[in-house]
Amino acid sequence: MALNLTVRVHPVVLFMIVDAYERRNADSQRVIGTLLGTADKGIVEVSNCFCVPHKEHDDQVEAELGYAHEVYDLNRRVNSSENIVGWWATGNEVTNHSSVIHEYYSRECNNPVHVTVDTSLQGGRMGLKAFVCVGLGVPGGKSGNMFTPINIEITSYAPEIVALQLCEKTIGVSNTLRPRTVEPMLDLAQVAEAATKLLGLLDQVLVYVEDVISGKQQADNSVGRALLDLIYSVPNMSSEQFAQMFNSNVKDLLMVVTLSQLIKTQLQLNEKLPFLCST
């Protein structure tokens, strides 16, 4: 049933929607576009999107559907697994023109979802909502449609989490004389930072276990099961075997970094050689 759907949106989709809103025409009140992703077993995962130019009048909506088809076809050549799963719009509510736009996407896919992103930041945050269109009416009488809210959540791949953590570091930059930018860390620095965070989490777990054993804190069965699964997930190896495995992975990482630097240097030489030969 369509009402049991859950929409999972990746952060890159939100960034693309905000970027499209910032680049909108001066006379545009809102921006719309197509959602791309997969739908399986009641889960609609939105991993990509693109903007569709349009104009809204009092009695009609004009959208460049030819442009939308061309962009979708080009995206299919790059990623054939991404299909149309719905459409998005900026704003905090469903408008009168939403039914007309949703009717078009109903012809492009089954049970399209509609996602709204509140770029006006009402309430001090960017509201995120998802809807499905449900038909209403009685047999032989008038019929209509109603947008019904459904569950929506944000999900992330591992590379997206790294990018979000890097973006988070720009929040505390208060100096207005320089751009709010942060350089990406080196690979080894990221490994060191991850190890430091892991040690901090292990310290918290040890404090919790000691408090439960001493009776200072009541035991939680769900936490105990999670700790048991964590222990069984650790490979059974000695400290020497672990050190050998870790050193081997570090060597592989250093080899990849070296090769990437060599490729970068070679590309720079290829760019400068034609200029030197011509002079």
Side-chain angles (χ1 to χ4, degrees):
M1 192 174 178
L3 296 178
N4 295 330
L5 290 176
T6 298
V7 181
R8 295 178 179 175
V9 183
H10 285 264
V12 65
V13 176
L14 301 178
F15 279 110
M16 295 175 69
I17 293 175
V18 173
D19 181 71
Y21 179 77
E22 292 293 330
R23 297 173 183 270
R24 73 189 188 282
N25 296 328
D27 57 346
S28 298
Q29 298 297 326
R30 70 170 184 165
V31 186
I32 67 171
T34 302
L35 296 175
L36 303 176
T38 58
D40 184 36
K41 297 180 181 180
I43 302 296
V44 179
E45 185 168 350
V46 183
S47 56
N48 199 358
C49 72
F50 61 86
C51 177
V52 177
H54 83 296
K55 292 183 180 180
E56 296 185 6
H57 305 282
D58 294 337
D59 55 347
Q60 64 179 354
V61 179
E62 297 179 0
E64 297 184 12
L65 301 182
Y67 171 83
H69 284 292
E70 291 179 0
V71 174
Y72 176 61
D73 292 338
L74 291 173
N75 186 81
R76 289 281 294 177
R77 297 181 183 180
V78 178
N79 194 344
S80 59
S81 62
E82 289 182 346
N83 300 312
I84 297 177
V85 294
W87 64 288
W88 58 268
T90 57
N92 61 344
E93 61 183 7
V94 177
T95 64
N96 296 330
H97 298 119
S98 298
S99 299
V100 179
I101 302 173
H102 198 85
E103 183 180 356
Y104 161 74
Y105 283 96
S106 298
R107 299 191 297 266
E108 298 294 326
C109 64
N110 295 325
N111 296 326
V113 297
H114 174 39
V115 175
T116 60
V117 181
D118 185 12
T119 50
S120 62
L121 301 180
Q122 293 189 5
R125 59 177 300 173
M126 187 172 63
L128 190 64
K129 300 179 181 178
F131 303 89
V132 291
C133 194
V134 180
L136 299 175
V138 295
K142 294 184 177 180
S143 60
N145 297 318
M146 179 181 67
F147 284 92
T148 304
I150 58 176
N151 295 329
I152 186 170
E153 56 189 34
I154 298 178
T155 185
S156 303
Y157 296 129
E160 292 176 327
I161 295 177
V162 175
L164 290 175
Q165 291 175 349
L166 188 62
C167 292
E168 188 179 6
K169 295 181 180 180
T170 65
I171 296 177
V173 179
S174 59
N175 189 357
T176 58
L177 299 179
R178 61 177 180 177
R180 299 176 62 179
T181 58
V182 175
E183 293 293 333
M185 294 188 301
L186 298 177
D187 294 335
L188 291 179
Q190 293 182 11
V191 173
E193 184 180 7
T196 303
K197 291 181 179 179
L198 181 60
L199 289 176
L201 294 175
L202 289 176
D203 291 338
Q204 294 180 9
V205 171
L206 289 175
V207 171
Y208 170 78
V209 173
E210 291 175 357
D211 290 343
V212 171
I213 294 176
S214 61
K216 296 180 180 179
Q217 187 173 351
Q218 187 176 0
D220 190 343
N221 294 331
S222 60
V223 176
R225 286 191 291 269
L227 291 176
L228 184 62
D229 294 337
L230 178 63
I231 293 174
Y232 279 126
S233 64
V234 177
N236 186 13
M237 61 176 62
S238 62
S239 58
E240 291 79 10
Q241 292 174 336
F242 178 78
Q244 183 179 0
M245 181 189 67
F246 181 79
N247 292 331
S248 177
N249 291 332
V250 171
K251 291 178 181 178
D252 293 339
L253 178 61
L254 292 175
M255 182 181 296
V256 171
V257 173
T258 304
L259 289 176
S260 63
Q261 293 294 332
L262 289 175
I263 294 173
K264 182 179 179 181
T265 304
Q266 185 176 3
L267 291 175
Q268 291 176 349
L269 289 175
N270 290 335
E271 290 178 356
K272 295 181 179 180
L273 281 177
F275 176 76
L276 294 176
C277 294
S278 61
T279 56

